[in-house]
Amino acid sequence: MNKINGKTEVIGVLGHPIEHTLSPVIHNTVSEATGRNAVYVPFHVYDEASKNAISEQAEIEALVRGAYNLGIKGLNVTVPYKSAVIPYLADIDPLAERIGAVNTLVRTDKGYKGYNTDMPGLYMALQKRGIVIEGSTAVVLGAGGAARAVIAMLLNYGASRVYLVNRTFEKAVQLSDEMNKLFADVIGSRSGVIPISVDNIDSVEVSVSDSSLDKAVAESGYLMFQCTSLGLKAGDGLLVDDDELYKRASYGFDLVYNPAETPFTKKLKSLGIKCDNGLLMLLYQGIIAYQYWTETEIGSDVVEKAKMNLCKAVYGDNLILTGYMGAGKTTVGHALAEKLGMDYIDIDAYIVEKEGRSIPEIFKEGGEEAFRNIETEAIRELGAKTYNTVIATGGGAVLRDENAKLLKEMGRVFYLYASPEETFTRVKGDTGRPLLDSDSEQQLKDKIIDMIRVRYHAYMRTADVRIDTDGKDVEKISEEIISQFK
Ligand code: ATR
């Protein structure tokens, strides 16, 4: 986190409840990565006596004024205040006004201006995935608050026809009517929203003829949005369990992001259809809000960093194992992955697969320097795409300053320490380790002692935790690591 001083800008999110918010992860990552002196904090807004949300108009007014008077640079607003704050804003963006909900307050000379970045956030996420909304046909599953935002996005950005499927048909009818009225001017002569009951999905047509644009889209299928709460709980099923509905989709988006895979995303993937979960929407609504507050453009490398930290916060951090060869990184790594339900990657194995050569071959052809360059690149690549993974490093990976920094950013680093004697017992007779080629046992022993002495500080400076492994079995070592990782 940046150093807080008298010039630190304060941004935050207000809501009730608020403790599970992921927004601080997004915004503080962006501030840190861009070097901005700003801090993003949660504001738990509730009535102390009743422990409920505040609801008196005068209190909400005082809240918005108070935030402004405190000089708060910008705010996110979440449940249950997204509509309640609107009367106390100096200005409001037309789209937010139309749907009657703001999630972002931007400081102006006169007070806060309200925006809703949920819809543009989803739109931006879809754009990044190459999905075209204009002229599309969409199928929305669910008729609650999430469906409302998705339908508003679809209509606002020019979807041609939206089928709304819901368990309770009356709610689908109600929401369709409401949205068709709200966006009547945008819909024009297009179809708008059409309510469908779950046992009438046969009437969902891929092909629509509202405009010439539709034809191209129709050929590839419709876009599907999963907006029910199904998928949040283990054992949840699909709203409509009929492949016919899913087969005709060209793309699917599930607003649920935890767990990462839901019955909906699994179904589409099993049919070979591209799909994403709601994490991208969460990410981009935040990025757009940050851009409003700071009037800056956030570059894609920073967005990727925020996404990685978000993934780590939602799905789990990486657990990195370092240590001299023979320290037990592979054995312990596999055991940990199994126990914690995480993936496992061995950086050396990753390099061998990527290069199509064995490590002794890489050493033979280019020397240690060439290998270390490849290794740094591999660490960088993995850091940009892995979370919830146990990662075993090569024995010498920590030697370079650059690697040490990358590994620390990648996750929580555990140094598996073994004494020279123990290391000797573990690695003698092993031929796949070029740095240990020796003529005699004594020479091997000396090499090990020497290497451990030289590398010890490199390991220690990279490590968050040192684990002594001498005389301990895999079970015991794993337990120690898990107790310090959680
Ligand atoms: P949100 O604001 O997140 O969209 P919501 O307003 O509670 O949440 O809406 C939940 C949606 O999930 C609704 O469409 C709901 O269907 P009903 O309108 O029929 O209640 C849907 N939903 C929740 N549990 C469901 C279940 N077990 N089967 C089918 N649909 C379900």
Side-chain angles (χ1 to χ4, degrees), residues 141-148 165-169 171-172 227-230 233 236 238-239:
L141 308 177
R148 203 168 179 279
V165 187
N166 195 43
R167 174 180 61 181
T168 315
F169 182 58
K171 280 208 214 162
C227 310
T228 75
S229 43
L230 288 169
K233 293 194 307 293
D236 276 350
L238 291 159
L239 177 65

Side-chain angles (χ1 to χ4, degrees), residues 54-66:
I54 60 171
S55 53
E56 296 288 330
Q57 289 199 351
E59 283 180 309
I60 308 266
E61 182 173 13
L63 169 70
V64 177
R65 266 189 215 292

Side-chain angles (χ1 to χ4, degrees), residues 89 91-94 96 101-106 108 113-118 292:
L89 302 176
D91 195 4
I92 185 164
D93 177 70
V102 296
N103 76 333
T104 301
L105 306 188
V106 178
T108 73
K113 177 169 179 180
Y115 292 86
N116 192 308
T117 67
D118 288 333
Y292 276 133

Side-chain angles (χ1 to χ4, degrees), residues 425-443:
T425 319
R426 291 183 196 169
V427 304
K428 69 178 170 192
D430 197 338
T431 52
R433 306 181 186 273
L435 293 178
L436 284 189
D437 282 346
S438 311
D439 299 329
S440 67
E441 283 208 347
Q442 191 52 50
Q443 197 189 6

